[in-house]
Amino acid sequence: QVQLVESGGGLVQAGDSLRLSCAASGPVLSWYTMAWFRQSPGKEREFVAGIIWSGGSTFYADSAKGRFAISRDSTKNTVHLQMNSLNPEDTARYYCAGRDSWQPQVPPTSGYGYWGQGTQVTVSS
């Protein structure tokens, strides 16, 4: 019954910005970690950014550092991804993911059991 719904994707030009949002609903009322992943055709899904719900500590893939910022609004059970200075290499379908519990020995880039349907981001040159 848990649902994660992404929004905010679109077609933009290189150098533009986008802000993605992920709204969570259902019986999960709190999260250990929420994150954004992306996947391009023919490529493996890759981690982009994550946030620890309690405290708000963030962590990023090298490709996102300095350009992307993840944040959360606990009152709305929503997580955002602000993407600046987009380039064609950022073109992918972006997925929201959540972990609802702490898992020993599992890094924050893994162990996600809840996923949204994704939102497409296309960056033209």
Side-chain angles (χ1 to χ4, degrees), residues 81-101:
L81 183 67
Q82 178 67 45
M83 304 187 294
N84 300 321
S85 300
L86 288 164
N87 57 62
E89 289 70 35
D90 296 315
T91 294
R93 191 165 185 86
Y94 285 71
Y95 296 89
C96 178
R99 286 172 58 178
D100 62 359
S101 64

Side-chain angles (χ1 to χ4, degrees), residues 55-103:
S57 297
T58 59
F59 43 99
Y60 299 91
D62 288 341
S63 61
K65 291 180 180 178
R67 298 190 300 126
F68 294 1
I70 187 171
S71 62
R72 53 108 169 90
D73 184 345
S74 60
T75 65
K76 298 180 179 180
N77 251 357
T78 301
V79 64
H80 305 281
L81 183 67
Q82 178 67 45
M83 304 187 294
N84 300 321
S85 300
L86 288 164
N87 57 62
E89 289 70 35
D90 296 315
T91 294
R93 191 165 185 86
Y94 285 71
Y95 296 89
C96 178
R99 286 172 58 178
D100 62 359
S101 64
W102 172 75
Q103 297 173 275

